[in-house]
Structure formats: C-alpha cells, structure tokens
Amino acid sequence: MTKETWLHDLRRFLADDHVKMDEPLHLHTLTRMGGPADIFVAPTTEDETAYTVKYAYENNIPLLLLGNGSNMVVRDGGVRGIVLNLKSLHTIRIEGTTVYAQGGANIKEVSKAAASNRLTGLEFACGIPGSIGGAMAMNAGAYGGEIKDVIRKATVLTKEGNKLELSKEDLELGYRKSIITKKGYYVLSAEFELEFGNQLVIDAKMSDLTMQRETKQPLEFPSAGSVFKRPPGNFAGKLIQESGLQGKGFGGAEVSTKHAGFIVNKNNATANDYIKTIEMVKSAVREKFGIDLELEVKIVGEDMA
C-alpha cells in the first residue's frame, strides 16, 4: 500500500482537511523542527481516533502519536507511516471535585480550569507544555507534584483500536513511566480527583510557580523542555552546568545559558543539530562524572536521505 492509498482510505471516514499527506512536522512540534509525515491525521472525535488506530493496525502501518509536540524531537527526514495528532480532542469538564479532560487538552489549561473552580492539586502542572495524553504517559511532574498524585482513571485505546478503562492502579505510574508507554496505548481522556481549597492560596501558588518557570526556563526559544531524566541523587541541569556546556552546541542548537537542562533552538536549528548537541552533553557528563544521562525527550523519525 502507498501513502496515497492511506490518504484515500482515511478520507472515507474523516474530513479531507483532517487527513494530510507530507505534512511538515516542524509546524506541530515545540522545537520547531522535523521533516514531513507521510500521513498526518487530526481527528475531531474519539470514534475517528479509534478508526485511525484500527486502520493502522489492520494494515500494518507504523503509527506515531504526536500530542502538543512537546518532549519530542522529530528527525529531519520526517516520519514514515501515520502521525496521529489529538489536539482537537481538548474538552475539559468539571463536576464537583472531579476534572475530566480529553487526551489532546493542554495540561496547563486543565490546571488553570481547576484553579478557577477553586480546586487544588493540579497547580504543579500550570507550566507543563504538554497534552493530557503525554502527561499521563510520562507521569509528568513539576515542583513536587505528579500526575499519579491526582489521577482517578483514564480511558485509552489499545494498539488494535479497542477502548479500555484503566484505574489509577492499572496505570502503573512511576518516575516518567506508565503502562501507557509500556503497552503503546493512546489516551482518549483522563479523570482527576482534586479538593476544594482557598482561592487566594491557589491563585498565589499558581502565580509563584508561573514566575519561577518564567524566571528559570528559556521560554524565549523553541525547545523540547527538559531533555534528560533526573539521575538518582542528582540533577541533570547541575551536572551539565558543572561540565561547562552552557552556550555550547551545534548549528542553531545550544545548551541554554538560562537553564542547562534545556537545549534550545536558538537559530533555525535542524533536528540533526539538536541530536548532535544531546550526544555532546551525554559524552561530556559521562567523561566528567561517570554518569550516563537518560533521555526524557523522545527522538523519532528518520534522518535525511
């Protein structure tokens, strides 16, 4: 089967403008890098999502889930197969202390919605740039909070396109891992259980965390966020800074001078520039400290031919 066939088949169920061929992925990643997707699908319903996943499985077509494009580096040659983007599945609903959000909703917006309804528990997520699906898959966390602290349950699609409801225990949430990544599930929605709090206290905490993020993180440049996982008993940014790597890199990519845990696209960097900078950092930290940094970002796709 060719990508033209995939395009034709998928457009039988989805609107034409929701299925594109050779879509540039730099338009959909926070790094502003990445080559084209053979087929780019942006469903607007859960049924369309399930249809796409099932179609890919039954026809043995590679399928990559791209959320808000954070925490991911797409190589310059792009991605073969189908790229599934769930940004249009962004419904947020609040009933009492329960917050419901679809997988494509931005977790920052979910955090803000909870806060505006006097709910406490999701303040830590007010600066996380990813989608609910990505946050669930990685058990995203910041400033002492994690998804596992507030999650109630999630609805996912299996690789075969079947719906499955998972409890908090079923999700097997750990440091930057979950059953979602282990099994290759696709998150359709999640429910969080929060508590009512003091509005002034909630607002103050949100403001403080937002200020910390804006002060300490290089938000003025495109990036994939924190590049490396936290090594046991240490911090990746600290090790990188002490290795003297800030301001260094390849091409248009460099280790941020504001926060060493970030690699930024400072001047029209290619994915190759970014990946070479990652390898430079890993090599330098290994040589100086004997520590192998583990990637938090996911590198996908193919190099340029």
Side-chain angles (χ1 to χ4, degrees):
M1 296 174 70
T2 65
K3 58 185 177 183
E4 288 81 8
T5 301
W6 305 338
L7 181 74
H8 175 267
D9 289 349
L10 289 166
R11 281 181 170 176
R12 293 171 62 186
F13 193 81
L14 290 89
D16 286 2
D17 59 345
H18 296 159
V19 186
K20 300 177 182 180
M21 188 167 66
D22 297 326
E23 174 75 357
L25 292 178
H26 69 81
L27 300 175
H28 303 279
T29 61
L30 296 191
T31 61
R32 298 295 178 259
M33 301 180 304
D38 282 347
I39 298 295
F40 182 85
V41 182
T44 58
T45 69
E46 293 185 359
D47 284 345
E48 290 179 349
T49 306
Y51 178 87
T52 304
V53 172
K54 187 174 182 179
Y55 176 81
Y57 175 77
E58 291 180 345
N59 292 283
N60 199 30
I61 304 169
L63 179 66
L64 173 69
L65 179 63
L66 180 69
N68 281 6
S70 62
N71 215 46
M72 183 176 286
V73 177
V74 179
R75 289 187 173 94
D76 300 311
V79 177
R80 306 291 71 81
I82 298 172
V83 171
L84 178 64
N85 183 276
L86 301 184
K87 278 189 179 180
S88 294
L89 272 67
H90 51 61
T91 296
I92 301 169
R93 186 172 66 249
I94 297 176
E95 297 176 2
T97 56
T98 300
V99 177
Y100 166 90
Q102 286 186 299
N106 191 307
I107 192 170
K108 289 193 297 184
E109 297 306 316
V110 178
S111 175
K112 290 176 185 177
S116 66
N117 281 267
R118 201 166 58 82
L119 293 175
T120 183
L122 263 178
E123 293 94 333
F124 73 88
C126 67
I128 296 175
S131 65
I132 284 293
M136 292 292 304
M138 295 297 292
N139 183 31
Y143 303 111
E146 290 181 301
I147 289 295
K148 70 178 180 62
D149 300 330
V150 290
I151 189 64
R152 181 182 175 191
K153 63 180 180 179
T155 301
V156 303
L157 287 173
T158 66
K159 288 187 285 188
E160 296 81 15
N162 300 316
K163 280 189 180 183
L164 191 64
E165 189 171 286
L166 302 175
S167 68
K168 177 178 181 176
E169 292 71 26
D170 294 333
L171 287 164
E172 297 181 14
L173 298 168
Y175 177 64
R176 302 299 177 264
K177 64 180 181 180
S178 69
I179 194 69
I180 295 164
T181 52
K182 184 178 177 182
K183 296 285 190 179
Y185 293 150
Y186 305 92
V187 178
L188 290 176
S189 63
E191 285 189 15
F192 304 94
E193 190 60 40
L194 307 181
E195 297 178 357
F196 285 116
N198 182 293
Q199 191 69 62
L200 293 177
V201 173
I202 293 170
D203 291 345
K205 187 172 184 180
M206 294 279 281
S207 295
D208 177 58
L209 294 181
T210 298
M211 183 184 68
Q212 287 189 53
R213 179 173 179 263
E214 292 176 346
T215 302
K216 297 177 181 179
Q217 296 182 14
L219 304 181
E220 64 273 26
F221 296 111
S223 81
S226 296
V227 177
F228 302 99
K229 294 181 180 179
R230 185 177 68 241
N234 218 315
F235 294 94
K238 179 174 179 290
L239 295 172
I240 297 166
Q241 182 176 352
E242 292 179 359
S243 297
L245 298 174
Q246 287 180 283
K248 296 183 179 180
F250 290 88
E254 73 171 36
V255 177
S256 170
T257 56
K258 195 172 185 179
H259 189 311
F262 288 66
I263 295 174
V264 296
N265 179 356
K266 193 170 183 181
N267 186 23
N268 297 317
T270 64
N272 189 51
D273 293 337
Y274 207 89
I275 293 167
K276 285 173 69 176
T277 303
I278 287 174
E279 293 304 320
M280 176 195 73
V281 169
K282 291 178 67 176
S283 177
V285 170
R286 185 186 305 114
E287 183 176 338
K288 186 173 180 65
F289 296 102
I291 294 175
D292 286 312
L293 292 178
E294 185 179 352
L295 283 178
E296 183 167 319
V297 300
K298 185 177 180 182
I299 299 175
V300 301
E302 300 180 356
D303 290 321
M304 292 284 286

